[in-house]
Amino acid sequence: KSVSDNAGAEGSSHGGGALARTGPVFAALTGLTSLAILLEAVFAGEVIAPASSNGWLSAHNVTADVVIALTVITAVYAAVCLRDSARLLVIGSVVLAVLVIVQTAIGHAITNNNDNGLLVIHVPLALLVFGLTIWLSVKARSLRKAAGS
């Protein structure tokens, strides 16, 4: 496939220029989101540790709010700036935002209701969220390369 065919598969044949302009911002947002999610995993590991974890639980909760904000900002940015040039990134970003909101709701149910049974959903969902974030980063980079930026 030619570059224009790839761009057309993602939205429009002139989407490469838009992706070249908006892709770096999307990459930065996705990178910050990945970092925040990685911190979530570190804080979660401390929460699970047998020692006192109240401070780590607070850090985990605050970081969850940061992750929600970053994923929603990323999804809105993608929907506005990438809708014509990279629909897969838009869809992935929106799915990521929804999954993070669900993930946070489950986390609050665990801590507020002491419902540790939800951990069997919370932990695998966290891995899925992190995997989707990595996929978004890799896909954005490959689309930018294909567009010639």
Side-chain angles (χ1 to χ4, degrees):
K1 278 186 160 181
S2 71
V3 172
S4 63
D5 288 342
N6 285 336
E10 284 301 312
S12 70
S13 60
H14 57 279
L19 191 58
R21 287 188 309 277
T22 59
V25 174
F26 181 81
L29 288 169
T30 305
L32 288 171
T33 302
S34 298
L35 177 60
I37 291 171
L38 181 61
L39 287 174
E40 274 291 86
V42 170
F43 298 150
E46 291 298 328
V47 169
I48 293 171
S52 175
S53 61
N54 287 338
W56 292 111
L57 182 58
S58 295
H60 190 66
N61 287 336
V62 168
T63 308
D65 293 337
V66 171
V67 171
I68 287 175
L70 285 169
T71 57
V72 169
I73 289 167
T74 303
V76 169
Y77 182 83
V80 171
C81 298
L82 301 175
R83 69 180 175 271
D84 292 331
S85 59
R87 279 182 282 182
L88 281 177
L89 296 181
V90 175
I91 294 166
S93 297
V94 170
V95 168
L96 179 63
V98 169
L99 289 176
V100 164
I101 291 167
V102 169
Q103 172 76 346
T104 303
I106 292 169
H108 287 306
I110 292 168
T111 56
N112 296 341
N113 303 330
N114 204 22
D115 189 353
N116 289 334
L118 290 174
L119 283 171
V120 298
I121 299 169
H122 190 68
V123 173
L125 186 55
L127 296 174
L128 178 62
V129 162
F130 196 62
L132 181 53
T133 307
I134 293 168
W135 179 83
L136 283 169
S137 296
V138 170
K139 185 66 175 172
R141 178 66 183 141
S142 69
L143 289 174
R144 285 179 54 214
K145 281 180 109 175
S149 55

mmCIF file of all heavy atoms in Angstrom, residues 31 77 123 146:
data_model
loop_
_atom_site.group_PDB
_atom_site.id
_atom_site.type_symbol
_atom_site.label_atom_id
_atom_site.label_comp_id
_atom_site.label_asym_id
_atom_site.label_seq_id
_atom_site.Cartn_x
_atom_site.Cartn_y
_atom_site.Cartn_z
ATOM 1 N N GLY A 31 2.187 9.664 26.244
ATOM 2 C CA GLY A 31 3.348 9.396 27.083
ATOM 3 C C GLY A 31 3.105 9.765 28.540
ATOM 4 O O GLY A 31 3.456 9.003 29.452
ATOM 5 N N TYR A 77 -8.762 15.479 22.547
ATOM 6 C CA TYR A 77 -7.782 15.964 21.572
ATOM 7 C C TYR A 77 -7.806 15.097 20.313
ATOM 8 O O TYR A 77 -7.832 15.616 19.194
ATOM 9 C CB TYR A 77 -6.378 15.973 22.188
ATOM 10 C CG TYR A 77 -5.332 16.500 21.248
ATOM 11 C CD1 TYR A 77 -5.128 17.865 21.111
ATOM 12 C CD2 TYR A 77 -4.568 15.645 20.462
ATOM 13 C CE1 TYR A 77 -4.184 18.372 20.227
ATOM 14 C CE2 TYR A 77 -3.616 16.139 19.581
ATOM 15 C CZ TYR A 77 -3.434 17.499 19.462
ATOM 16 O OH TYR A 77 -2.500 17.984 18.584
ATOM 17 N N VAL A 123 -7.328 -5.733 38.719
ATOM 18 C CA VAL A 123 -5.927 -5.952 38.324
ATOM 19 C C VAL A 123 -5.803 -6.288 36.834
ATOM 20 O O VAL A 123 -5.014 -5.654 36.123
ATOM 21 C CB VAL A 123 -5.252 -7.001 39.234
ATOM 22 C CG1 VAL A 123 -3.866 -7.352 38.725
ATOM 23 C CG2 VAL A 123 -5.180 -6.484 40.668
ATOM 24 N N ALA A 146 4.390 6.448 8.521
ATOM 25 C CA ALA A 146 3.764 6.150 7.236
ATOM 26 C C ALA A 146 3.358 7.438 6.520
ATOM 27 O O ALA A 146 3.376 7.501 5.294
ATOM 28 C CB ALA A 146 2.540 5.250 7.431
#
